């Protein structure tokens, strides 16, 4: 959640952020009214308790004539205190419930608008030109014996698949390369739980506007994660971190599960949009003043990975209306997909400021030893979807695929993926 002081001291900034996101700005006035009601009830209860305490002290010293009136007054004050506490609790509950729905503020430089209003920050690499008709990733991978969508659907339903042979090897190679690079850059590698408690899922902001995308195991009251960002954010919940030496950086390897609600009919061919995939995700706890610099670092590490797989890509600054609940600012890297003749998202990196850490009570000590709320950031380092860009951009006329040089050591030195003989 945002800092309540921002709501009280600069409500117009919160209204402006809501407008930029395309969200209801009227929620700000509702929250301010509830906050006033809550604070007034607290003050009233405190005043009544003080008076009640004073009257109670007078009772033992009172004369027989004075005592009945004092006891009656104490009883009346007790009832008034209880009523004020009920009002305080009701206002607090209403405030907290509505406040948790409020998304993070947006960066003042983020482009305003919806999904198509992003700003292109840079374009890197030349779009490949083929002297043959390129095949899409599904045709290529089926030819390589690397992917089986039909049996995936038979076993689990639509948008599921089997990676086999070099397909499985390619994914493992890609994710291992991501972990190796993350480790070299100071990240601690983590293999994270796939199931989390509701408070952890809610703490990261995924049970608000995005709750329809999350799988829930109702009998166990647990959620399947759509990214290791969720368990990593909860890793230090209710803790005070030592950030004196710099940010805490983790690289989480996990299977990810998404319902893809609302995507009916979109990207049904191949593995661009699926219900389960693997990912290596960078996650950082930092001091708030270091967050923007760290955000640029995460983007830089993502670009290094994209350069390593030798695909053309562009970097976009995501528009305010397309930001997740927790994101203050988000950069996406989109790789060129030749058969679609467009760029498709491979990575995203978000600066979530103190929004998630405040919900999860992740703090650090400032220079004066006082606990302060930390900032959190996340960024993709590799996913199953990257295979689409790799095979399509590096395909050859006979259906074989050239392996990018940086990936070869993780594939046993293999330079070319050859079609299998049927």
């Amino acid at each position: 959640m945002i800092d309540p002081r921002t709501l009280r001291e600069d409500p117009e900034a919160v209204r402006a952020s809501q407008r930029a996101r395309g969200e209801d700005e009227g929620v700000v006035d509702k929250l301010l009214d509830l906050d006033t009601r809550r604070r007034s009830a607290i003050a009233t209860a405190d005043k009544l308790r003080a008076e009640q305490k004073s009257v109670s002290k007078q009772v033992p010293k009172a004369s027989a004539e004075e005592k009945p009136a004092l006891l009656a007054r104490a009883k009346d004050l007790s009832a008034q205190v209880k009523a004020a506490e009920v009002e305080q609790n009701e206002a607090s509950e209403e405030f907290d419930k509505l406040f948790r729905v409020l998304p993070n503020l947006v960066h003042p430089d983020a482009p305003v608008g919806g999904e198509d209003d992003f700003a292109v920050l840079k374009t890197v690499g030349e779009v490949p030109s083929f002297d043959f008709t390129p095949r899409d990733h599904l045709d290529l991978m089926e030819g390589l014996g690397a992917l089986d969508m039909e049996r995936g659907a038979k076993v689990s339903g639509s948008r599921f698949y089997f990676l086999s042979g070099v397909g499985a090897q390619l994914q493992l190679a890609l994710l291992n390369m991501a972990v190796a690079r993350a480790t070299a850059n100071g990240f601690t590698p983590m293999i994270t739980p796939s199931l989390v408690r509701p408070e952890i899922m809610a703490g990261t902001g995924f049970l608000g506007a995005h709750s329809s995308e999350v799988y829930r195991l109702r009998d166990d009251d647990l959620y399947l994660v759509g990214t290791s960002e969720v368990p990593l954010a909860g890793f230090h919940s209710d803790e005070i971190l030592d950030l004196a030496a710099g940010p805490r950086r983790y690289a989480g390897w996990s299977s990810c599960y998404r319902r893809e609600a609302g995507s009916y009919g979109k990207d049904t061919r191949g593995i661009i949009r699926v219900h389960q995939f693997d990912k290596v995700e960078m996650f950082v706890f930092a001091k708030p003043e270091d967050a923007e610099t760290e955000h640029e670092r995460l983007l830089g590490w993502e670009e290094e990975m994209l350069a390593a797989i030798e695909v053309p890509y562009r970097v976009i600054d995501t528009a305010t209306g397309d930001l997740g609940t927790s994101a203050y600012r988000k950069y996406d890297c989109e790789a060129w997909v030749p058969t679609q003749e467009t760029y498709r998202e491979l990575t995203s990196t978000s600066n979530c400021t103190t929004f998630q850490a405040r919900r999860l009570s992740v703090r650090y000590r400032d220079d004066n030893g006082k606990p302060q709320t930390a900032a959190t950031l996340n960024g993709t380092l590799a996913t199953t979807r990257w295979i689409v860009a790799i095979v399509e951009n590096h395909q050859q006329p006979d259906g074989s695929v050239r392996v990018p040089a940086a990936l070869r050591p993780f594939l046993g030195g293999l330079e070319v993926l050859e079609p299998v003989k049927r």
Side-chain angles (χ1 to χ4, degrees):
M1 61 190 77
I2 68 170
D3 190 335
R5 290 176 298 181
T6 303
L7 177 70
R8 297 182 193 118
E9 298 169 8
D10 194 1
E12 185 50 42
V14 185
R15 291 190 188 96
S17 179
Q18 287 290 95
R19 287 194 297 270
R21 282 181 173 272
E23 300 281 353
D24 177 21
E25 61 180 289
V27 70
V28 177
D29 292 320
K30 292 178 185 176
L31 283 167
L32 289 171
D33 288 344
L34 286 169
D35 191 43
T36 299
R37 178 181 152 198
R38 177 183 65 170
R39 289 155 72 88
S40 175
I42 291 171
T44 299
D46 287 346
K47 182 179 178 182
L48 289 169
R49 272 191 290 267
E51 187 177 351
Q52 182 186 25
K53 186 176 181 180
S54 174
V55 170
S56 296
K57 286 182 177 179
Q58 295 174 42
V59 171
K61 303 175 184 177
S63 65
E65 295 79 11
E66 296 173 327
K67 191 167 290 187
L70 286 172
L71 287 171
R73 178 59 179 157
K75 183 177 180 181
D76 180 54
L77 285 169
S78 177
Q80 290 185 57
V81 168
K82 288 179 181 177
E85 288 174 343
V86 169
E87 171 70 5
Q88 174 188 334
N89 291 336
E90 287 180 352
S92 295
E93 286 176 10
E94 287 184 50
F95 177 87
D96 291 342
K97 185 176 180 180
L98 188 58
F99 195 50
R100 281 184 170 272
V101 175
L102 192 70
N104 201 356
L105 302 183
V106 298
H107 193 290
D109 294 336
V112 176
E115 183 179 357
D116 298 325
D117 296 311
F118 57 83
V120 177
L121 301 181
K122 67 165 79 168
T123 302
V124 179
E126 293 293 326
V127 169
S129 177
F130 299 102
D131 56 7
F132 58 92
T133 301
R135 308 178 197 189
D136 74 3
H137 75 279
L138 180 56
D139 282 344
L140 287 164
M141 294 184 72
E142 285 180 339
L144 296 169
L147 177 66
D148 194 324
M149 300 296 298
E150 186 176 338
R151 289 189 175 93
K154 178 179 71 174
V155 170
S156 302
S158 63
R159 299 185 191 268
F160 286 95
Y161 56 94
F162 283 90
L163 289 177
S164 59
V166 294
Q169 290 176 288
L170 184 57
Q171 172 163 292
L172 290 170
L174 180 64
L175 298 184
N176 273 313
M177 183 171 78
V179 170
R181 285 174 174 261
T183 304
N185 286 316
F187 286 78
T188 300
M190 307 279 280
I191 295 178
T192 62
S194 291
L195 292 165
V196 297
R197 298 175 182 272
E199 59 268 27
I200 301 300
M201 186 66 80
T204 49
F206 284 97
L207 289 187
H210 300 281
S211 60
S212 63
E213 299 173 16
V214 180
Y215 285 105
R216 181 184 179 189
L217 280 67
R218 295 185 182 275
D219 288 349
D220 303 287
D221 200 18
L222 294 170
Y223 290 87
L224 279 167
V225 300
T227 167
S228 63
E229 170 192 345
V230 178
L232 288 174
F235 186 64
H236 287 301
S237 60
D238 300 315
E239 294 181 23
I240 298 178
L241 304 179
D242 182 0
L243 298 179
R248 291 275 189 100
R249 301 186 180 106
Y250 298 98
W253 181 325
S254 70
S255 290
C256 306
Y257 306 87
R258 298 185 184 180
R259 294 185 62 240
E260 292 294 347
S263 66
Y264 181 79
K266 295 180 181 177
D267 295 316
T268 55
R269 183 172 170 81
I271 56 171
I272 287 181
R273 195 187 295 270
V274 290
H275 290 308
Q276 178 181 338
F277 57 93
D278 279 11
K279 178 167 68 156
V280 172
E281 177 85 353
M282 299 178 287
F283 195 86
V284 179
F285 297 95
K287 295 179 181 179
E289 62 267 27
D290 296 333
E292 290 203 42
T293 300
E294 189 70 8
H295 196 200
E296 297 297 329
R297 286 195 189 101
L298 291 176
L299 177 60
W301 286 320
E302 289 178 338
E303 289 195 70
E304 287 178 8
M305 272 292 291
L306 289 167
I309 64 168
E310 303 172 31
V311 296
Y313 68 93
R314 69 181 182 185
V315 181
I316 68 169
D317 194 352
T318 306
T320 51
D322 197 31
L323 292 174
T325 299
S326 301
Y328 174 64
R329 194 174 198 178
K330 180 165 80 81
Y331 300 126
D332 286 352
C333 293
E334 302 178 326
W336 179 256
V337 178
T339 59
Q340 295 190 5
E341 297 186 333
T342 191
Y343 291 93
R344 300 299 303 265
E345 178 197 331
L346 289 196
T347 80
S348 66
T349 175
S350 297
N351 177 3
C352 297
T353 61
T354 59
F355 187 87
Q356 294 175 328
R358 182 168 283 106
R359 289 171 170 234
L360 293 166
S361 188
V362 183
R363 297 177 294 167
Y364 71 99
R365 295 194 186 279
D366 63 19
D367 293 340
N368 297 316
K370 183 178 178 181
Q372 303 288 353
T373 305
T376 62
L377 304 97
N378 61 79
T380 317
L381 209 52
T383 73
T384 302
R385 184 186 285 190
W386 285 43
I387 296 172
V388 174
I390 291 171
V391 299
E392 287 210 16
N393 281 282
H394 297 301
Q395 64 179 293
Q396 301 182 118
D398 63 352
S400 63
V401 173
R402 185 183 68 84
V403 178
L407 199 53
R408 292 172 191 171
F410 299 92
L411 265 174
L414 198 61
E415 296 184 6
V416 177
L417 306 180
E418 299 284 358
V420 296
K421 294 180 181 179
R422 298 293 184 180

